[in-house]
Amino acid sequence: MMHAEIVSIGDELLKGQRVNTNAASIAAMLSLEGVPVRRITACSDREEEMQEVFSEALGRSELVLVTGGLGPTRDDRTRNAVLKLLNRGLTLDPGSLREVESRVFARGREMTELMRSQAMVVEGSLAIPNTKGTAAGMILNCGPRFSERHLVLMPGVPVEMQAMMEGTVLPWVRERSGTTIIHTPVKTIGVGEATLAEMIVSVEDALPEGTTVAYLPHGAGVDVMVSTIAEARERAEEDNAAVAGAISRLAAEFVYAVGNRSLEETILDMLRGQQETLAIAESCTGGLVASRITDVAGSSGVFTGGFVVYSNIAKEVQLGVSPGLLDAFGAVSQEVAGAMALGCLRRSGATIAIATTGIAGPGGATPDKPVGMLALGLARRTAGSQGPHVESSVLYMHGDRHQNKLRFSQAALRMLWEALRRSGSSSE
C-alpha cells in the first residue's frame, strides 16, 4: 500500500497568518484514491529546514506532496532546496514555457527571465502543467538514496494546486495505489461522544478487517467516520456500508444523515417530502438560521422567508408579540419564543415556523437568565385542528458570543428536524 505525507511550505503558515487549507484538500483527495496520509507538516521557507523535512518524510513514505515556495519571489525556495537535496540541476520544460508565454502575452506583457524561470524544472522530473498560474509543478523520482520514492512539488496557491492534483497528480497516483478507501460519515445531533460510543460498542467490537471508526465531534454534533480500506472496491464498499448501516440503526434517534449531507439539506428534503413550507423568526441568532437554510441550493422551494426581530418593539410590530407577554416573562422566555413562532407562522403563510430568542453574551445576563440561555419556539399548522400546534423549550449553552450563536442556530435546526421526524414517522 502506498502511504503519503504532505508538507506545506511558508512562514505565513507558522505565524498563523494563513490557514493551511491545501493540506486538508490534498488529504481528502488522496484518501479517495486509497492512499492514506501518514503525516502533515508545515515548514518554514529556510532551505536547510526544507531539506531536513523532505529527507525525513521520504524516509517514511512512498509519496511526499509539497505545496508552496515555487513562485517567482525571493521567498520561493522549494525548488532550490530540492536541487540541493537530490544533487541535481535545472532544465527548461518546453510545455511549461508555452503555458507561461501564453499567459504573459495574453496580458499584453513582455516575457522576462524571471517569468521564464517559472518553466524550469528539476532534472529527471515529470513536469505538471500549471493551467491556473505560471510556476510549473513536478513529480520526481528521488533515486536509490530514497528507495525510488517520489516528491510532488506544487504551488501554494489553492486554485493552482487543485488543478494540478486533478489534472495530473491524481491520475498518476491512481495507476500506482492498488487500494481503495471508502469513507462514510454517520452524522448525529443531540448526543455526546461518550454516549454515542456506548451505543455502538457492539459494532466496534466486530469491525471487519480494514475498517476503522473515528469520532469527529464539532460544534454542530458528532460525526462517526467509518473508513474501510481494501484492494477490491466491491469489498470495501460492502464492508463500509454494513458498518455504517449498523451504527445508524443503533443510534437511529440521533442520526440525521449517512453520507455527506448537511443537517440543512436533510431538513429541506424532509420539508419537501412532507409538503411543508418554512419561515423563521430570529432574535439572538440575527438571521444565522435563515442564512444556513438558504446556503442550500433550491431552498426557495420550501423556505418562504424570515424575520430578524432583535428589539422588543420589533417583536411586537413585526410578529404581533403582546407587550404584556414581554413585560411578564421577558424577551428570553419560552412564552415569548412560542409567541414569536406563532406570529411568524401567521404572518408568513408558511406551514411551520421556528423562533429563537436568547442571550449570546458577553452582556445582557441576569441572575435567573445567564449568558448562553436560549428559548426556542415552534409553531405548525395541523390538519383538522382548531389552531396551530405550538411548542417551546429552554436550553443553556456555554461559550463565547460567536460559539453561542452557532450553537443556538444548531439547536433551532435540531428542534425543527425532530418535529419533522416525528411527523414523518407518524405518517408511515
Side-chain angles (χ1 to χ4, degrees):
M1 179 192 302
M2 179 186 291
H3 291 84
E5 294 194 26
I6 300 169
V7 180
S8 302
I9 304 298
D11 288 343
E12 68 276 9
L13 299 174
L14 298 173
K15 294 175 182 176
Q17 296 169 342
R18 182 168 296 176
V19 177
N20 187 6
T21 58
N22 279 346
S25 297
I26 292 170
M29 287 187 276
L30 288 175
S31 71
L32 295 177
E33 303 300 333
V35 179
V37 174
R38 278 179 167 167
R39 188 171 302 192
I40 295 174
T41 306
C43 180
S44 77
D45 296 317
R46 294 170 58 86
E47 290 182 22
E48 59 270 27
E49 291 183 7
M50 286 190 230
Q51 291 178 59
E52 180 180 347
V53 169
F54 297 163
S55 181
E56 291 176 354
L58 287 167
R60 289 185 296 260
S61 302
E62 294 84 355
L63 180 64
V64 179
L65 300 98
V66 182
T67 62
L70 291 183
T73 59
R74 291 186 177 183
D75 62 347
D76 292 314
R77 304 188 179 99
T78 300
R79 190 172 57 184
N80 286 341
V82 173
L83 292 177
K84 295 174 182 177
L85 178 68
L86 303 181
N87 192 26
R88 296 183 188 176
L90 285 174
T91 184
L92 182 68
D93 178 64
S96 298
L97 180 60
R98 287 192 295 271
E99 289 279 352
V100 174
E101 289 175 338
S102 175
R103 192 169 295 275
V104 171
F105 296 152
R107 296 177 180 175
R109 299 168 58 185
E110 292 187 5
M111 192 72 174
T112 65
E113 281 302 313
L114 184 61
M115 298 306 297
R116 180 183 172 86
S117 71
Q118 294 289 275
M120 301 293 288
V121 298
V122 178
E123 287 179 339
S125 64
L126 169 66
I128 306 174
N130 190 340
T131 59
K132 303 294 183 180
T134 56
M138 291 159 257
I139 300 177
L140 298 119
N141 183 313
C142 296
R145 176 186 169 193
F146 294 106
S147 304
E148 311 296 335
R149 292 175 172 177
H150 289 82
L151 270 175
V152 176
L153 309 182
M154 295 176 288
V157 180
V159 67
E160 297 180 33
M161 175 278 296
Q162 184 87 19
M164 288 188 176
M165 285 293 294
E166 293 175 352
T168 303
V169 179
L170 292 179
W172 183 90
V173 168
R174 203 169 291 133
E175 294 178 357
R176 294 162 176 80
S177 67
T179 54
T180 295
I181 295 182
I182 305 293
H183 299 289
T184 301
V186 179
K187 298 188 173 184
T188 71
I189 187 172
V191 62
E193 183 179 0
T195 303
L196 185 58
E198 291 177 359
M199 287 182 176
I200 65 172
V201 65
S202 61
V203 177
E204 290 200 75
D205 286 343
L207 291 174
E209 183 179 356
T211 297
T212 59
V213 168
Y215 296 85
L216 307 176
H218 49 85
V222 180
D223 295 347
V224 183
M225 185 63 73
V226 181
S227 301
T228 304
I229 185 166
E231 292 185 2
R233 173 167 286 274
E234 288 184 2
R235 180 195 158 194
E237 291 175 344
E238 182 179 333
D239 288 351
N240 190 270
V243 172
I247 291 172
S248 64
R249 287 189 294 274
L250 289 173
E253 64 179 303
F254 302 107
V255 174
Y256 66 84
V258 177
N260 292 308
R261 293 187 62 75
S262 67
L263 179 59
E264 296 88 333
E265 289 173 311
T266 300
I267 286 171
L268 288 169
D269 283 345
M270 296 170 80
L271 288 166
R272 292 187 193 97
Q274 297 180 35
Q275 298 183 325
E276 300 271 12
T277 54
L278 170 69
I280 302 171
E282 302 182 64
S283 182
C284 57
T285 47
L288 181 57
V289 183
S291 177
R292 290 180 59 177
I293 287 291
T294 55
D295 279 344
V296 181
S299 55
S300 60
V302 292
F303 179 58
T304 65
F307 301 83
V308 177
V309 285
Y310 216 63
S311 67
N312 283 2
I313 191 66
K315 294 177 178 66
E316 296 172 20
V317 172
Q318 296 186 48
L319 298 178
V321 177
S322 164
L325 197 69
L326 287 162
D327 290 341
F329 298 102
V332 182
S333 62
Q334 284 187 251
E335 291 80 6
V336 168
M340 287 173 61
L342 183 58
C344 180
L345 186 79
R346 288 171 172 167
R347 300 198 174 187
S348 66
T351 64
I352 188 167
I354 53 173
T356 66
T357 178
I359 304 171
T366 63
D368 59 333
K369 294 184 179 182
V371 168
M373 178 179 175
L374 169 68
L376 294 172
L378 185 145
R380 190 175 194 179
R381 302 182 194 277
T382 54
S385 175
Q386 293 184 345
H389 165 77
V390 180
E391 60 185 89
S392 59
S393 62
V394 169
L395 302 171
Y396 297 89
M397 313 291 179
H398 302 282
D400 59 28
R401 184 176 183 85
H402 177 76
Q403 291 169 331
N404 281 337
K405 286 184 69 177
L406 177 61
R407 291 167 181 168
F408 290 174
S409 72
Q410 190 72 6
L413 291 175
R414 177 189 171 188
M415 185 182 200
L416 176 58
W417 172 72
E418 289 177 339
L420 291 169
R421 188 186 60 177
R422 289 194 302 268
S423 59
S425 298
S426 64
S427 64
E428 291 177 357

